[in-house]
């Protein structure tokens, strides 16, 4: 099925919608303030060595020095050994015999700073690609344990061959095959190997010319991951509404992923890009429990910490000749809708679906076949069982990131976590987008935002720069009014 990708960029947030068959299938959101440091590679300088703690503090240019434990120091394998001591369980060489104050080290962040604690580092460098993880200091080929044992040796041999062909005479480096590589073609694997080696080459060049405490490599942003992870043979276009980001992404794509970059387009339309497929409406619906089906039936989706449950109901559907046909047609439509909702909401882990009870085995088989067919389009790995004795269908979907609800919402204080409301930042960004949309349709003297105090405080404090920038852009003053009677995700924009 043909695919279109829409990118809505703003200084505070990047939003990506994957469109297939004219409908939104996936949503990805990344906020500038919430981007972590994990995966970033720095040229660090040893500030202090603590033999008693077998650790060292490393200056990587952040507010607080980062922490390096002896167990996270990469050590060259001994002669005749395939793995270094820190991974083979052998004795560790004391940290004071490996590093010294003032020494320059290439390090990678493995844990973000939390509170008063600095980032945690490792000297074992790894660079993640779409199918593979590159280990430039190693030579072995590893395979994810989640890939069936029967396929591991074959995949290992293929990567060894491809890596040998791609080598440029330097150290080949090692690779770990991710679960995404299970069904990858040789061309896809070779493209990933080339990208990873080029990235490592740029890191080494930067390390040779940059001073200590410099950032050498930043983990890919959502914009860049669109080219790496979301673009495929069915992608027709990737449209982005920012000229600056379009040119930056095109330059990145030309160097690392020319095939994907060929689909990039700069969207210059007057309408907000997400209005083209009513993406904001789909986001609102995807945060609700109920999903209405065209036939009149509906789904109830409940996400808990342990699993997600989906209940199918006939609702007002009475279009079939008899009850069995009504149930069958509702379940068929539900199978299609559930597969889409799993992708749209990014629901992972265990998913239990309670289809409406069907008395005929052939109806059960047809619904299960349709469900598996729809799930086959999901880029995230899924496993589906059959109907249980209770008429339930159990499945698993790999967790790749936070679900949409976890990302955009927070537990409601008023209902003690029984429901969810959008965060103040989410509402604040909705308000900024709504003002921009209204400014293109109307010409008032002033825009007045009436919202909950927590939202107004956010707009006056952390988002004041963006609010002022929007006011300058539209050429109209924007005033704020706190209203305690409004709920945390309720607001109104008054045209004066």
């Amino acid at each position: 099925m043909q695919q279109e990708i829409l990118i809505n960029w703003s200084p505070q947030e990047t939003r990506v919608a994957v469109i297939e068959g004219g409908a939104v299938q996936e949503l990805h959101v990344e906020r500038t303030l919430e981007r972590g440091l994990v995966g970033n590679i720095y040229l660090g300088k040893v500030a202090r060595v603590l033999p008693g703690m077998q650790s060292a503090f490393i200056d990587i240019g952040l507010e607080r020095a980062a922490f390096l434990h002896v167990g996270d120091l990469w050590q060259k394998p001994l002669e005749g050994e395939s793995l270094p001591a820190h991974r083979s369980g052998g004795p560790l060489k004391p940290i004071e015999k490996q590093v010294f104050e003032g020494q320059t080290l290439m390090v990678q962040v493995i844990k973000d700073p939390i509170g008063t604690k600095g980032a945690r580092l490792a000297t074992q460098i790894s660079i993640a690609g779409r199918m593979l993880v590159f280990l430039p200091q190693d030579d072995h080929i590893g395979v994810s344990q989640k890939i069936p044992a029967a396929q591991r040796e074959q995949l290992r041999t293929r990567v060894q061959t491809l890596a040998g062909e791609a080598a440029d005479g330097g150290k080949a480096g090692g690779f770990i095959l991710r679960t995404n590589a299970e069904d990858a073609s040789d061309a896809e694997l070779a493209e990933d190997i080339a990208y990873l080696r080029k990235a490592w080459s740029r890191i080494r060049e930067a390390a040779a010319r940059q001073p200590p405490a410099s950032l050498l490599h930043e983990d890919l942003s959502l914009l860049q991951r669109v080219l790496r992870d979301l673009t495929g043979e069915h992608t027709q276009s990737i449209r982005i509404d920012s000229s600056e980001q379009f040119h930056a992404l095109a330059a990145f794509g030309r160097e690392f992923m020319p095939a994907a970059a060929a689909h990039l387009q700069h969207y210059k339309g007057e309408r907000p890009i997400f209005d083209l497929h009513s993406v904001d409406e789909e986001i609102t619906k995807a945060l609700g429990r109920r999903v209405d089906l065209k036939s009149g039936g509906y789904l109830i989706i409940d996400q808990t910490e342990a699993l997600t449950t989906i209940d199918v109901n006939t609702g007002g559907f009475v279009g079939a000749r008899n009850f069995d046909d009504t149930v069958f047609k509702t379940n068929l439509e539900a199978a299609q809708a559930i597969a889409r909702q799993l992708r749209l909401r990014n629901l992972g882990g265990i998913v239990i679906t309670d289809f409406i009870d069907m008395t005929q085995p052939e109806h059960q088989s047809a619904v299960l076949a349709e469900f598996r067919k729809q799930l086959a389009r999901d880029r995230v790995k899924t496993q589906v069982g059959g109907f249980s004795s209770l008429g339930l269908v159990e499945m698993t979907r790999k967790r790749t990131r936070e679900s949409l609800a976890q990302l955009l919402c927070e537990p409601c204080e008023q209902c003690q976590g029984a429901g969810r409301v959008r965060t103040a930042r989410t509402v604040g960004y909705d308000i900024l987008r709504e003002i921009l949309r209204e400014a293109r349709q109307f010409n008032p003297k002033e825009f007045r935002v009436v919202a909950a105090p927590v939202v107004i405080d956010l707009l006056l404090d952390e988002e004041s720069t963006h609010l002022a920038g929007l006011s300058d852009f539209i050429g109209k003053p924007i005033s704020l009014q706190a209203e305690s009677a409004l709920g945390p995700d309720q607001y109104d924009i008054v045209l004066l």
Side-chain angles (χ1 to χ4, degrees):
M1 183 176 290
Q2 297 301 318
Q3 179 190 84
E4 181 183 6
I5 299 176
L6 305 180
I7 304 175
N8 171 223
W9 185 88
S10 65
Q12 64 270 16
E13 186 179 56
T14 301
R15 303 189 301 164
V16 176
V18 178
I19 314 296
E20 293 176 4
V24 183
Q25 301 293 335
E26 294 180 31
L27 290 164
H28 304 261
V29 180
E30 180 179 81
R31 287 169 176 170
T32 307
L33 294 177
E34 296 172 1
R35 279 200 70 185
L37 303 177
V38 173
N40 289 359
I41 299 173
Y42 294 85
L43 191 62
K45 185 176 182 180
V46 180
R48 190 178 176 193
V49 181
L50 304 173
M53 296 176 59
Q54 282 299 292
S55 60
F57 287 108
I58 313 294
D59 179 15
I60 58 174
L62 302 180
E63 184 179 347
R64 293 187 297 274
F67 179 82
L68 174 66
H69 186 262
V70 67
D72 297 318
L73 269 168
W74 182 84
Q75 299 177 36
K76 187 177 180 179
L78 299 174
E79 189 173 346
E81 298 287 338
S82 59
L83 293 174
H86 74 295
R87 287 170 53 196
S88 62
L92 297 175
K93 189 176 180 180
I95 193 168
E96 63 269 24
K97 294 185 178 180
Q98 299 187 68
V99 302
F100 54 87
E101 290 187 14
Q103 181 182 3
T104 299
L105 289 175
M106 186 184 295
V107 293
Q108 186 167 33
V109 178
I110 58 175
K111 190 173 183 180
D112 281 321
I114 301 176
T116 59
K117 295 182 179 180
R120 182 159 179 172
L121 306 175
T123 57
Q124 165 76 70
I125 304 299
S126 64
I127 309 171
R130 184 176 185 178
M131 311 285 179
L132 305 164
V133 176
F134 183 42
L135 306 174
Q137 296 145 309
D138 290 343
D139 287 316
H140 76 284
I141 306 294
V143 185
S144 169
Q145 294 296 311
K146 295 183 179 180
I147 294 178
Q151 295 179 248
R152 289 179 202 158
E153 198 55 43
Q154 181 189 17
L155 281 169
R156 183 180 286 109
T157 302
R158 287 171 59 198
V159 171
Q160 283 175 335
T161 302
L162 292 167
E165 292 172 355
D168 56 2
K171 184 176 178 181
F175 292 91
I176 296 175
L177 284 95
R178 306 171 69 180
T179 52
N180 290 348
E182 183 178 345
D183 301 315
S185 65
D186 283 354
E188 290 173 322
L189 292 173
E191 185 179 5
D192 224 22
I193 290 171
Y195 157 69
L196 291 169
R197 282 187 167 147
K198 184 176 284 188
W200 173 237
S201 177
R202 289 188 59 174
I203 292 168
R204 286 190 301 173
E205 291 172 4
R209 66 175 187 269
Q210 296 287 351
S214 296
L215 175 64
L216 304 178
H217 170 79
E218 189 172 17
D219 200 29
L220 295 189
S221 66
L222 176 56
L223 280 176
Q224 295 165 327
R225 295 199 305 274
V226 167
L227 298 187
R228 187 188 73 183
D229 298 339
L230 302 184
T231 308
E233 59 180 337
H234 300 297
T235 304
Q236 284 187 311
S237 64
I238 306 170
R239 292 197 274 177
I240 180 170
D241 60 3
S242 164
S243 174
E244 179 184 357
Q245 297 304 315
F246 165 75
H247 290 296
L249 190 57
F252 170 82
R254 282 193 298 270
E255 180 169 2
F256 291 102
M257 302 157 194
H263 299 292
L264 276 171
Q265 299 175 10
H266 178 211
Y267 175 73
K268 302 178 181 178
E270 284 295 319
R271 294 174 62 194
I273 191 168
F274 269 22
D275 282 7
L276 300 182
H277 291 278
S278 303
V279 178
D280 286 318
E281 293 178 20
E282 290 292 342
I283 293 175
T284 301
K285 291 178 182 177
L287 296 177
R289 293 179 67 228
R290 176 167 170 150
V291 178
D292 290 318
L293 305 177
K294 292 180 180 179
S295 64
Y298 62 92
L299 311 175
I300 296 294
I301 302 176
D302 284 313
Q303 182 184 354
T304 67
E305 188 172 341
L307 51 82
T308 297
T309 60
I310 303 175
D311 186 31
V312 183
N313 298 277
T314 55
F317 180 41
V318 292
R321 290 173 295 176
N322 55 56
F323 183 71
D324 282 350
D325 285 345
T326 298
V327 168
F328 176 53
K329 291 185 177 180
T330 302
N331 281 339
L332 274 180
E333 186 183 1
Q336 299 170 5
I338 291 169
R340 175 173 176 257
Q341 289 297 321
L342 293 178
R343 292 178 66 187
L344 188 63
R345 299 167 184 246
N346 193 37
L347 298 174
I350 300 172
V351 181
I352 298 178
T353 301
D354 183 11
F355 286 102
I356 307 168
D357 290 339
M358 292 173 284
T359 58
Q360 299 181 39
E362 58 269 24
H363 284 178
Q364 283 192 346
S365 299
V367 168
L368 198 59
E370 179 64 23
F371 194 30
R372 286 176 170 152
K373 175 185 174 184
Q374 296 297 325
L375 288 172
R377 296 162 49 191
D378 196 340
R379 75 181 75 252
V380 177
K381 188 173 183 179
T382 59
Q383 288 185 321
V384 185
F387 278 90
S388 71
S389 58
L390 297 176
L392 305 175
V393 173
E394 298 178 10
M395 65 166 287
T396 59
R397 185 175 186 270
K398 183 182 176 184
R399 294 185 190 272
T400 56
R401 51 192 169 88
E402 289 181 309
S403 71
L404 191 67
Q406 290 169 332
L407 183 65
L408 300 184
C409 301
E410 63 186 1
C412 176
E413 295 181 1
Q414 283 73 22
C415 63
Q416 301 299 313
R420 291 181 179 270
V421 295
R422 291 178 294 172
T423 65
R425 180 162 278 112
T426 299
V427 176
Y429 293 167
D430 284 347
I431 289 172
L432 297 181
R433 284 191 292 269
E434 183 64 23
I435 291 174
L436 183 59
R437 185 179 290 111
E438 295 284 348
R440 288 170 172 164
Q441 299 180 48
F442 305 101
N443 187 30
K445 293 182 179 179
E446 177 185 336
F447 290 89
R448 177 167 296 172
V449 176
V450 182
V454 64
V455 176
I456 298 300
D457 289 344
L458 181 81
L459 293 174
L460 286 172
D461 186 12
E462 298 179 37
E463 300 298 334
S464 59
T465 302
H466 297 132
L467 187 68
L470 177 61
S471 179
D472 291 340
F473 180 77
I474 64 177
K476 304 289 181 181
I478 302 173
S479 60
L480 306 176
Q481 177 181 328
E483 180 55 69
S484 57
L486 291 177
D489 59 353
Q490 296 176 319
Y491 66 86
D492 194 14
I493 297 175
V494 182
L495 309 183
L496 300 176

